[in-house]
């Protein structure tokens, strides 16, 4: 490599930006998968458990026999559930199924909090005690989630992972590329061409105060030169992208489009 050769690799800031975006998408994807696998079923459990407590609380006000109350509820599920063909639990409402966790305890037997008739006359206190003991939210969600909603969470999670995969492809591609000038040979956007092949250079978005992007027209094709990604404009590092551009312009003899020329053309 001669002293005149300038090679600009992707900046650290570029990979930091890539990383932040990919981590965010990856995190959202995991959240979607969690809701699809666990979260929505747990929310359904809370909603239907809360409703069962409220219904039993209304019934408890009319009851007087504590022994009969306990005998009627003990060992029975808190609310009606259905066992699907695959063995999973769900609440059926019409043709819709609202999945529940496989380990949903109230699908097997009523909790101790509802067996005390006198306490259930103030069912909200019983619910607060039960939800606290089980680590459930006191306030249930506004609506349950059916199989379609859960399927959507899985689809969103898969979509997020696909986006992460695409993002990683671009990270690897960016890492392997460079913006360089070796003699009179330019490498940009994964292509190599000679300075003599450049028909025009558009510098209207170049420079640290803009996007750091220029466009070369080479044999009728527009090629993007991304100085912000490759090399950068850090003065402490000698502004590698600007050094590349100045070295190229020193050899280039064709048309250059800058703001001044663009303004002049528009006025004429």
């Amino acid at each position: 490599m001669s002293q005149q050769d300038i090679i600009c690799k992707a900046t650290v800031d570029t990979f930091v930006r890539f990383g932040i975006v990919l981590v965010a998408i990856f995190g959202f994807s995991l959240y979607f998968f969690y809701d699809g696998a666990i979260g929505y079923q747990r929310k359904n459990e809370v909603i239907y458990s809360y409703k069962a407590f409220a219904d039993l609380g209304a019934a408890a006000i009319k009851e007087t026999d504590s022994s009969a109350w306990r005998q009627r509820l003990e060992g029975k599920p808190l609310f009606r559930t259905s066992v699907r063909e695959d063995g999973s639990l769900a609440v059926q409402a019409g043709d819709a199924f609202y999945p529940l966790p496989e380990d949903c305890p109230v699908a097997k037997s009523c909790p101790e909090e509802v067996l005390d008739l006198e306490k259930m006359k103030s069912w909200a206190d019983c619910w607060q005690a039960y939800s606290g003991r089980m680590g459930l939210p006191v306030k249930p969600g506004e609506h349950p989630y059916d199989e379609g909603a859960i399927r959507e969470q899985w689809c969103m999670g898969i979509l997020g992972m696909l986006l992460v995969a695409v993002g990683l492809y671009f990270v690897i591609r960016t890492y392997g590329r460079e913006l360089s000038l070796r003699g009179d040979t330019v490498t940009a956007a994964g292509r190599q061409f000679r300075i003599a092949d450049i028909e025009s250079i558009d510098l209207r978005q170049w420079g640290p105060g803009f996007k750091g992007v220029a466009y070369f027209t080479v044999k009728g094709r527009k090629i993007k030169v991304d100085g912000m990604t490759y090399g950068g404009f850090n003065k402490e590092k000698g502004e590698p992208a600007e050094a590349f551009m100045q070295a190229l312009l020193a050899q280039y003899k064709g048309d250059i489009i800058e703001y001044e020329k663009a303004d002049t053309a528009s006025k004429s």
Side-chain angles (χ1 to χ4, degrees):
M1 183 178 71
S2 67
Q3 294 182 350
Q4 288 75 29
D5 292 346
I6 298 176
I7 301 173
C8 300
K9 291 291 188 178
T11 65
V12 174
D13 290 344
T14 296
F15 293 112
V16 169
R17 290 192 295 269
F18 266 125
I20 291 173
V21 173
L22 292 180
V23 168
I25 296 175
F26 183 76
F28 279 118
S29 298
L30 292 181
Y31 188 78
F32 286 130
F33 283 138
Y34 172 81
D35 272 345
I38 300 173
Y40 276 10
Q41 289 91 331
R42 291 294 182 194
K43 291 176 181 178
N44 286 343
E45 176 188 354
V46 174
I47 289 171
Y48 285 107
S49 296
Y50 180 86
K51 183 179 182 301
F53 267 74
D55 292 343
L56 287 173
I61 297 176
K62 303 175 184 179
E63 294 286 340
T64 57
D65 190 336
S66 298
S67 298
W69 174 268
R70 175 178 283 272
Q71 186 176 2
R72 178 157 57 91
L73 296 177
E74 195 168 23
K76 304 291 179 59
L78 181 62
F79 51 83
R80 183 177 296 178
T81 60
S82 299
V83 179
R84 307 299 307 281
E85 293 181 357
D86 59 0
S88 61
L89 287 175
V91 174
Q92 184 175 4
D95 294 332
F97 287 90
Y98 300 88
L100 298 169
E102 293 183 2
D103 61 348
C104 180
V106 293
K108 299 178 180 179
S109 62
C110 287
E112 183 66 30
E113 285 80 1
V114 305
L115 300 180
D116 190 316
L117 176 62
E118 294 305 316
K119 289 183 178 179
M120 274 301 291
K121 294 181 186 295
S122 300
W123 68 269
D125 293 336
C126 291
W127 167 252
Q128 188 167 4
Y130 171 74
S131 60
R133 178 169 67 85
M134 299 300 295
L136 302 175
V138 176
K139 185 177 180 181
E142 295 180 359
H143 59 82
Y145 300 92
D146 62 11
E147 291 175 311
I150 291 175
R151 191 159 46 247
E152 286 178 2
Q153 296 303 298
W154 282 103
C155 290
M156 291 298 293
I158 292 171
L159 177 61
M161 288 302 182
L162 289 175
L163 290 175
V164 170
V166 172
L168 288 174
Y169 162 76
F170 281 106
V171 169
I172 295 171
R173 191 184 73 168
T174 300
Y175 180 80
R177 284 185 172 182
E178 64 181 33
L179 176 64
S180 65
L181 177 64
R182 293 179 170 87
D184 65 344
T185 301
V186 181
T187 301
R191 298 176 181 174
Q192 275 193 348
F193 49 90
R194 300 173 69 86
I195 295 177
D197 296 328
I198 304 174
E199 298 164 6
S200 67
I201 296 178
D202 186 343
L203 294 177
R204 285 176 291 178
Q205 299 182 52
W206 185 258
F210 300 94
K211 295 181 179 180
V213 173
Y215 293 94
F216 293 176
T217 302
V218 179
K219 297 182 178 179
R221 290 188 176 184
K222 186 174 286 187
I223 296 176
K224 182 179 180 181
V225 178
D226 191 345
M228 200 66 74
T229 297
Y230 297 95
F233 296 89
N234 190 328
K235 292 184 178 181
E236 295 180 357
K237 297 181 180 180
E239 297 183 286
E242 183 63 24
F244 159 84
M245 185 62 71
Q246 293 303 321
L248 185 145
L249 292 176
Q251 300 184 54
Y252 178 67
K253 305 301 181 183
D255 293 333
I256 300 176
I257 304 173
E258 298 181 272
Y259 272 113
E260 293 78 4
K261 292 185 178 181
D263 291 341
T264 302
S266 62
K267 290 178 183 179
S268 62

